[in-house]
Each structure stands twice: as structure tokens, then as C-alpha cells.
Amino acid sequence: MYIFCFVSSLRKVKGCSIDVHPTERALVVQYEVEATVLGELGNPMVGERKECQKIIRLKSLNAHTDTSSLARKVVEECRLIHPSKLLEVEQLLFYLQNRKHSNGIQDPKRSPKPLPPQGRMNLDEEASINSISEYVELLYEDIQEKIRGATLILQLARNPDNLEELIQNETALGALARVLREDWKQSVDLATTIIYVFFCFSSFSQFHGLVTHFKIGALCMNIIEHELKRYDLWQDELQKKKKNQNLKKEHEKSFRKYQSLLAKQEQLLRVCLCLLLNLAEDTRTELKIRNKNIVHMLVKLLDREDEELLLVALSFLKKLSIFLENKNDMAETFAVEKLARLVPCEHQELLSTALRLLLNLSFDTSLRGHMVQAGLLPKVSSLLGNQSRQLSMCILYHISVDDRFKSMFADTDCIPQLMKMVYACGEEKMDVELISLCINLAANRSNAKIICEGNGLKMLMKRALKLKDVLVMKMIRNLSQHNGPTKSLFLDHVGDLAAQISEDEAEEFVIECLGTLANLTIPDLDWALVLKEYNLVPYLKDRLKPGSAEDDLILEVVIMIGTVSMDDSCAAMLAKSGLIPALIELLNAQQEDDEFVCQIVYVFYQMVFHKATRDVIVKDTQAPAYLIDLMHDNNAEIRKVCHNTLDIIAEYDEEWGKKIQNEKFRWYNGQWLEMVENRLMDEEGEPFVFGEDRESFIGDRDILERPDLFYSAGTEGFKGNSSLYWKTCE
């Protein structure tokens, strides 16, 4: 007997990481493929995992390439790369664009540049892996020989091919760690060279255990702390000599020496930080580094002038800033204020890293305030025209979220630049960051005026209507909410907007068009003509039925009705069409939604405000009864609109006026009335309601049967010999 198996396989891609190619202008995508072979009836038979990589060669990448556009193209064409990695791809492309090739292959994202000659000894001899034992022997001699031995070992370590063999030589690595631990204070050059050796190992994750074994990370933290204290002492000494006129020559001499020492110190700090940054890939190691106050040290380094040191410090801070505790430490040490001096700067990679750090920090409300106070708003706005445009827009977007800062954009060149970008998009899809920032800024009156200057509004309307662009329409809606000259500009576009109100258009787009029209409270606008010409009344009535559309659309319809009801002829037209019962039905269905209730009550207010529709509301519907029920709603806005509407009804209709007044009395004196109704009786069966003189002032009769007391009481209520009295209605 033969058994036939139908074999197929399923492939799953897991764990995608991206890096740059060490020698070529290319990206390396590393991923893991899990293949499951299926047997009879689809049962898994064999599972296999395989590590794979894909190289994306970038032939079009040159000094003039727009890395933002290229990054989007790479993400779109390579399915292995998730869209969330767009910024990471852009950063790697930017690095490739500016990378200079060197002989030593190291981790391209974090490695410091080769140390200048003064950072280590200039040696004519070339190191050989076969002579490693001789180099180790030099580590037992004097300082100069130790530096020579360490430099030769560094030559070997900079070649990744030698690392596997060096790691087998525990004697050499142990000797290096011992010399560093014992002699790092005696020679900056020696400390820098040895730490550079261990940095070469730290560039590869598989060697992190080795570096940790020799406790090089903890030693680097001690070195950084010590060097920062030395720097403070140098500064104090220079300041003292500078103030003393008699020590002017000595100050000049000390300053030259200081510059030499500072250059060596900054090399040492840079290689220490690079090593720690590599080790911080492990979150547990990062936590240990953080607990040793690394954030304060890094922020202190932001006062330095060396661009390479600043770049490493900013990269480290950016990595740390994603954790709340580190972000709080940066706030305490005024990191934002120190970053302000680095924006803008000519060093493009340094600028990009500074902006990425600011972007991480801008998620915090208080730090956004610090950014504005530090003058970063105009500085970041000025970067919208260069390679850092996307990062700048993201930071500006976060700042624009706060209403406190929206008006400040009007004092910068941000809005004109944004409008130019919008023009440049043509019919292409607009960047989400760009339109999101524009939407926020349009919510401010001063900004709206600048946006609408010239043909700004006309251009936006043209794009929104032609492309049915919901986000641009949302921006236009925000522009329409401002009173003054800006709102008057919409008179030319009312017809275009009204034409979009139909069942054929997408609901999202109709919502924004309705919202825009609802904002146009312009006296010169003939709403009756608009409703008739575009036959809007049947559409509005149909959409009032609960469940006929999404709640957002129904709400915009109610708001629209409230706006057009300000016109008495429109109010009469809507009332005759039977909208009032539909609104009452909607009110019953949405009574738990305060926004719905408030807007529907506002429509009733507009209806009773006009004589032409007052009779319909008061005599032909139960709207007044619903308003009485809502008179004491928990929402203050609903109460306010209800009271205003009921006051008009009370003046117009005497019968409803009495009901409204009685209800107000019951509400104000509810506690007192409850006590009266309970009829607390004494032993003789009389009401137990006495004044201070123990005389009964009510007797058997209910207060509601005493209209003389109710209507004759002043605004302070009933007063007599009693301390117990009630409030009256105002």
C-alpha cells in the first residue's frame, strides 16, 4: 500500500534589522526565515529557521540626493522593511551619503573616526598578529613603552579579521585591562588607546560579554566623571588668571596648554562614550549606566565645541530619551536650553541628531514650553527648506498642538514656507506631517489670516474639491471658524461647499464640508437661497434619523441646522418641513451624548427666537417639556441654553410660563419641600415646622397652596420670625 503525501511549505519572516554595508553604498537587511514543511492533511512535519540577508544597492545615491524621498522609495519597494522604520532608513542613507571610506571596517553607526596622530603614538612599524606576545611584554615597561604596545595592539584590533584571534589571547586582553585600571590617570594617550581597543570589540554584539567581563564599562564611567571634574578645575583656574591683570602672560601660556589638554581629553571622552553606547544595546547594561548619572554627564558635555564629541553625546542622549526617567533628568539639567545653541549648525549629521533628540523630548508638554522659551521655534522653522525638513515639521507639529504657542508661529517664516510646500505638491499626495501641521496652525486667527493671504484660500479650496482631500478640507474648516475678514472670504465658496453635500460623496468629506458651512455665520449670506438652490432640506432631514449615518455626520447636520436657523426665513422653512419632531426623536436617542443634546437645544433656541417659528415649537411640539427636563442637566452649557430658551417661551406663553416657574421653584427649594411633604408631626398631630419663637407659621396648608407667599416673596425669600425660609425663582 502506498501513502501519498502532499508536501508544501509555509515561510514566515521574523526579526528584520537594517544596517549599512561596510564598504559599498548599500543597505543590508538581515532577517530570519522560518520555513514549516506541511505534510498530509496540512500537519506540520519539519520546521527550519534560517538567517538571511538582502543587500539593497543604492546606485542613485550621491551628494545631492534627497534622502527623505529615497528612504520612502526603499521602504515602499522592499517588503521586508516595515514602514515604521522610515526614519531609521533615512538616517542610514544620510550616513552613507556623507561617509568617507577607511581601511578599518567598524560599526558604521557608532564608531568614532580614527584618532588624530596626537591621540596615539606615530609608529613606522606595522603590527603583526604573530608578534602579539611581544606587544604584551611592552605593557609591563614604562609609560611610553606601554603606549607603544597598546598602539600596536590597536592596529590589530581595528581589523575585524583579527578580533577572533585576539579574543583567544586572554593574556593580552587581561594585561590591557590591568594597565588601564592602574595607569589611566597617568597618561590620557594610554587610556585613549586601550579603551579604543576594547571599543573595537564592543562594535560587535557577540564580544560584549568580553568587554563586560573586564569591567571596562564601569571604568569608562569613572574616567568620564574624573575628566569632567578636571575640566571644571581648568575653567576655574583660567578665569582667575584672566581676571588678574598681572597674570596676563601666564594666562596666555596656560590657555595654550589648556587647548592641548582639552583636545586630548575630548578624544578620550569620545571613545569612552562610543564604547558605552555600544554596550547600552543591552537594556540591563543601559540601566546600570543610567544609574551612574550618565544623563547629567552627557548634558554637561553639550557645552563643548568639539563636533565629534557633541555628536556622540547627542546620539547617546537620543537613545536614552525614550525612557521617562531619563527624559525627566534631561528636563532637570536644562538639556533643551543647551540644545538650542546647536540649532541650526553647519555639521549636518550633528544637526540631524540634535533634531531627533528634540523630537523625542517634544512629546513632553513642559519641555515643549522650554523649547519655545529657548527660541527654538524660529530656529526650527528656518530649517524647513533643507534636508532636515521632515524632522523640523514633526517638532513644529508637536509645538503646534499647544494652543499657547499657536499664535507665535505668525511671527516666524514658518507659514509662508509651509504654503509653498503645499503649492509644490500639486496633485500629488501631501506628506502627513505637512498637512497635520497646517491643520493645527489654521486653528489660530493670526495664522489663518496669513494662510489666506493672496490666493491661499482659493488654492486650498481648489485642491480639496478636485482631489476630495479630507485633510485639506479639515484645514479649511479650521480657517472658517475665525470671525473677521477671513470668514468673509468664504462667501465666494459657499456654492462649491454646498454642492458637496450629497449621498454620492464620501461621509468623511461631507462632514468637513458641513462643518465649514456651519461655521459661516455671515450676516450677508442668504441661507434660504442656498438651501433651495442645492435642495439641502431633504438631505438634512433624512440624516436626522438615528442610525441613518455615522454619529459624526448626524452631529454636523444638527450644527448646520442651528446655523441656518439664525435666518428667520430658513427657520420657518425647516420648521414646516417637519424637522422639529425629527430633532426630538434624535434627542431621545442621543440623550446621553452632551454634544448632541447641546446642539439640538441650540436649534430649539433659534426656533423660538423667531416669531415665525415660535408657535410651531411651543404649540405644535413637546419641545418645551424636554427643555424643562434638561433645565437642571449636569452640563453647564446645556443648562445655559435651556434657561435662555425657556425664558423666551415663558414670556410668550403664559401657561408654559407658570409651569416653568413652578419647576424652577421646586428645584431651588427641593429640600424644604421634601421636609414639608414628609409632614413631620408632633404629639398633637400638628406639622412640626416652627420658627425660633416656637410658633407654628404654616399650619395644615401646603406651601404650594399659598400663591400669596410664593409670588409676594422678594429675592431673598420668605422672612418672618422664622429662621427657616425658602428661595424664590429669579
Side-chain angles (χ1 to χ4, degrees):
M1 183 176 67
Y2 296 92
I3 298 176
F4 294 91
C5 292
F6 296 90
V7 180
S8 62
S9 65
L10 297 176
R11 292 161 57 90
K12 294 182 180 179
V13 177
K14 295 185 176 181
C16 177
S17 63
I18 315 167
D19 211 333
V20 295
H21 195 280
T23 57
E24 300 179 22
R25 287 202 167 181
L27 293 177
V28 180
V29 182
Q30 296 180 336
Y31 58 98
E32 188 179 82
V33 175
E34 184 180 88
T36 303
V37 180
L38 301 181
E40 187 179 8
L41 301 178
N43 296 320
M45 296 174 59
V46 182
E48 181 183 359
R49 289 188 177 184
K50 183 179 180 181
E51 292 185 358
C52 305
Q53 72 174 25
K54 178 178 181 179
I55 298 177
I56 305 173
R57 289 182 170 81
L58 307 161
K59 296 180 180 179
S60 62
L61 182 64
N62 55 52
H64 305 290
T65 303
D66 183 358
T67 53
S68 299
S69 301
L70 184 57
R72 283 195 292 272
K73 186 177 179 181
V74 169
V75 173
E76 289 172 2
E77 294 182 358
C78 183
R79 294 185 178 182
L80 295 171
I81 303 176
H82 193 271
S84 63
K85 293 183 178 288
L86 177 62
L87 287 177
E88 182 182 352
V89 173
E90 184 183 345
Q91 185 181 16
L92 294 173
L93 291 178
F94 180 79
Y95 171 80
L96 283 172
Q97 191 178 46
N98 296 275
R99 181 176 68 177
K100 295 181 180 179
H101 296 283
S102 60
N103 294 329
I105 299 174
Q106 298 178 7
D107 186 345
K109 290 185 288 185
R110 294 183 298 273
S111 61
K113 293 180 180 178
L115 296 176
Q118 67 269 24
R120 58 182 186 271
M121 292 185 66
N122 291 318
L123 299 176
D124 295 331
E125 59 183 304
E126 185 175 347
S128 171
I129 194 69
N130 297 323
S131 304
I132 186 68
S133 58
E134 297 177 11
Y135 307 152
V136 173
E137 290 179 3
L138 293 174
L139 298 177
Y140 293 90
E141 304 297 333
D142 58 20
I143 291 295
Q144 291 302 315
E145 289 299 298
K146 287 178 180 177
I147 295 175
R148 178 168 170 264
T151 304
L152 290 166
I153 296 174
L154 175 59
Q155 284 186 28
L156 298 174
R158 290 186 63 191
N159 184 349
D161 295 336
N162 294 327
L163 293 179
E164 288 285 359
E165 189 166 344
L166 285 173
I167 201 173
Q168 302 300 326
N169 195 328
E170 293 185 10
T171 303
L173 296 177
L176 285 170
R178 177 189 59 78
V179 171
L180 178 63
R181 193 162 45 250
E182 295 176 355
D183 298 334
W184 66 267
K185 289 185 179 180
Q186 297 184 36
S187 172
V188 173
D189 290 339
L190 177 62
T192 303
T193 305
I194 295 177
I195 293 174
Y196 206 121
V197 172
F198 284 102
F199 162 75
C200 293
F201 285 99
S202 72
S203 296
F204 300 91
S205 301
Q206 60 265 38
F207 298 141
H208 283 187
L210 167 75
V211 181
T212 305
H213 171 72
F214 289 109
K215 299 183 179 179
I216 304 300
L219 193 52
C220 284
M221 290 296 300
N222 294 336
I223 292 172
I224 294 171
E225 185 177 7
H226 175 77
E227 292 300 325
L228 289 176
K229 290 178 180 178
R230 284 182 67 197
Y231 177 80
D232 292 337
L233 291 174
W234 293 344
Q235 291 291 319
D236 292 341
E237 186 178 347
L238 284 173
Q239 287 298 323
K240 289 177 183 178
K241 291 181 178 179
K242 187 176 181 180
K243 291 178 181 179
N244 193 333
Q245 294 294 330
N246 299 327
L247 300 175
K248 188 175 181 180
K249 290 185 178 180
E250 189 175 342
H251 172 263
E252 293 176 357
K253 182 179 178 181
S254 297
F255 185 71
R256 287 193 295 270
K257 182 180 178 182
Y258 160 77
Q259 288 180 314
S260 175
L261 292 172
L262 184 63
K264 290 186 176 184
Q265 185 192 69
E266 289 178 340
Q267 291 172 13
L268 175 58
L269 290 172
R270 182 158 57 90
V271 73
C272 284
L273 289 175
C274 285
L275 184 144
L276 290 171
L277 183 56
N278 286 351
L279 295 180
E281 285 182 353
D282 183 354
T283 53
R284 292 171 297 180
T285 304
E286 182 178 333
L287 180 59
K288 292 178 182 178
I289 296 172
R290 187 261 168 191
N291 290 337
K292 292 195 173 184
N293 215 22
I294 188 64
V295 174
H296 289 72
M297 297 179 188
L298 291 169
V299 173
K300 201 170 183 180
L301 288 173
L302 296 182
D303 294 326
R304 302 294 183 97
E305 298 298 329
D306 184 79
E307 291 179 340
E308 297 304 321
L309 177 60
L310 286 170
L311 180 58
V312 178
L314 287 175
S315 300
F316 212 146
L317 285 170
K318 177 173 71 69
K319 185 180 189 308
L320 295 168
S321 65
I322 63 175
F323 294 101
L324 177 65
E325 297 82 3
N326 298 331
K327 182 265 298 178
N328 292 338
D329 287 347
M330 293 177 203
E332 292 174 4
T333 52
F334 304 101
V336 170
E337 287 76 3
K338 294 189 176 185
L339 283 170
R341 77 177 186 91
L342 301 176
V343 180
C345 69
E346 295 180 0
H347 193 295
Q348 191 60 38
E349 191 176 358
L350 180 62
L351 175 62
S352 176
T353 309
L355 291 175
R356 291 178 189 280
L357 173 56
L358 284 170
L359 177 58
N360 285 357
L361 298 178
S362 67
F363 284 89
D364 183 88
T365 305
S366 62
L367 288 176
R368 289 199 293 268
H370 290 185
M371 291 177 192
V372 174
Q373 292 172 5
L376 276 167
L377 183 54
K379 289 183 175 183
V380 176
S381 298
S382 67
L383 299 173
L384 289 172
N386 68 11
Q387 295 179 350
S388 304
R389 181 179 70 180
Q390 189 177 21
L391 285 171
S392 301
M393 278 196 294
C394 290
I395 296 169
L396 293 173
Y397 169 76
H398 283 170
I399 295 175
S400 71
V401 170
D402 289 323
D403 292 334
R404 299 174 294 164
F405 308 133
K406 282 187 173 72
S407 61
M408 297 182 182
F409 283 83
D411 300 324
T412 69
D413 64 342
C414 177
I415 297 174
Q417 289 193 73
L418 293 176
M419 293 304 292
K420 287 180 182 178
M421 294 178 198
V422 173
Y423 294 145
C425 288
E427 296 186 7
E428 295 179 3
K429 186 177 180 181
M430 203 180 301
D431 288 341
V432 175
E433 296 84 2
L434 173 59
I435 188 59
S436 300
L437 176 56
C438 289
I439 289 170
N440 282 357
L441 295 181
N444 177 265
R445 184 174 179 176
S446 301
N447 297 336
K449 186 177 179 182
I450 298 174
I451 292 171
C452 293
E453 284 179 352
N455 294 322
L457 179 59
K458 185 177 180 181
M459 182 275 299
L460 291 171
M461 285 294 302
K462 183 178 179 181
R463 177 184 174 87
L465 297 176
K466 185 175 182 179
L467 303 178
K468 305 300 180 184
D469 194 321
V470 177
L471 293 178
V472 174
M473 200 67 231
K474 191 181 290 289
M475 178 184 175
I476 294 171
R477 179 180 177 179
N478 280 353
L479 292 172
S480 67
Q481 68 185 353
H482 307 294
N483 294 321
T486 304
K487 187 169 287 190
S488 301
L489 296 174
F490 282 85
L491 281 172
D492 297 333
H493 305 287
V494 171
D496 294 330
L497 290 167
Q500 310 304 313
I501 312 302
S502 69
E503 296 180 359
D504 298 332
E505 299 292 344
E507 279 195 2
E508 287 185 350
F509 190 70
V510 174
I511 287 172
E512 301 305 329
C513 292
L514 277 170
T516 304
L517 287 170
N519 286 334
L520 303 183
T521 52
I522 306 173
D524 298 334
L525 181 55
D526 188 348
W527 277 115
L529 181 62
V530 174
L531 293 179
K532 290 177 182 176
E533 184 173 347
Y534 294 96
N535 195 28
L536 294 180
V537 175
Y539 178 88
L540 297 177
K541 184 179 178 181
D542 290 342
R543 286 295 175 272
L544 287 178
K545 297 176 183 177
S548 62
E550 293 292 331
D551 284 353
D552 288 343
L553 178 58
I554 299 175
L555 179 60
E556 292 302 330
V557 168
V558 175
I559 296 172
M560 176 73 176
I561 293 171
T563 298
V564 300
S565 296
M566 295 173 68
D567 184 286
D568 54 353
S569 59
C570 284
M573 186 190 308
L574 294 172
K576 290 177 183 177
S577 69
L579 274 177
I580 306 303
L583 284 170
I584 292 176
E585 182 183 354
L586 182 62
L587 180 62
N588 285 327
Q590 299 286 353
Q591 57 185 330
E592 300 299 325
D593 191 318
D594 283 357
E595 185 64 24
F596 263 103
V597 173
C598 190
Q599 295 299 338
I600 293 172
V601 172
Y602 179 74
V603 173
F604 292 157
Y605 170 77
Q606 291 294 347
M607 293 289 183
V608 301
F609 191 79
H610 304 295
K611 292 181 180 179
T613 53
R614 196 174 296 155
D615 280 340
V616 178
I617 288 286
V618 176
K619 297 181 179 180
D620 298 343
T621 71
Q622 290 299 312
Y626 282 96
L627 291 171
I628 289 175
D629 290 340
L630 293 169
M631 190 166 54
H632 310 301
D633 193 89
N634 293 329
N635 188 295
E637 287 299 319
I638 294 175
R639 291 199 305 270
K640 181 180 177 181
V641 180
C642 276
H643 278 290
N644 292 338
T645 309
L646 290 171
D647 287 344
I648 297 174
I649 294 173
E651 291 179 10
Y652 176 74
D653 188 283
E654 184 177 351
E655 183 181 350
W656 276 112
K658 289 181 179 180
K659 291 180 180 178
I660 293 167
Q661 200 168 22
N662 282 340
E663 178 58 31
K664 287 184 177 181
F665 177 83
R666 287 180 180 278
W667 173 258
Y668 285 127
N669 302 284
Q671 185 178 359
W672 191 90
L673 289 171
E674 183 181 356
M675 185 188 71
V676 171
E677 290 172 0
N678 288 338
R679 298 280 186 173
L680 299 176
M681 309 296 289
D682 61 4
E683 293 179 356
E684 298 178 0
E686 291 294 325
F688 194 65
V689 182
F690 297 100
E692 294 175 354
D693 55 2
R694 304 300 295 169
E695 294 288 335
S696 172
F697 59 84
I698 289 187
D700 294 338
R701 303 178 64 185
D702 195 297
I703 186 62
L704 294 179
E705 298 175 4
R706 294 285 305 278
D708 57 320
L709 289 176
F710 175 68
Y711 290 109
S712 64
T715 57
E716 295 181 354
F718 179 84
K719 291 184 179 179
N721 294 328
S722 172
S723 61
L724 181 63
Y725 59 90
W726 59 90
K727 301 176 185 176
T728 59
C729 307
E730 297 179 357

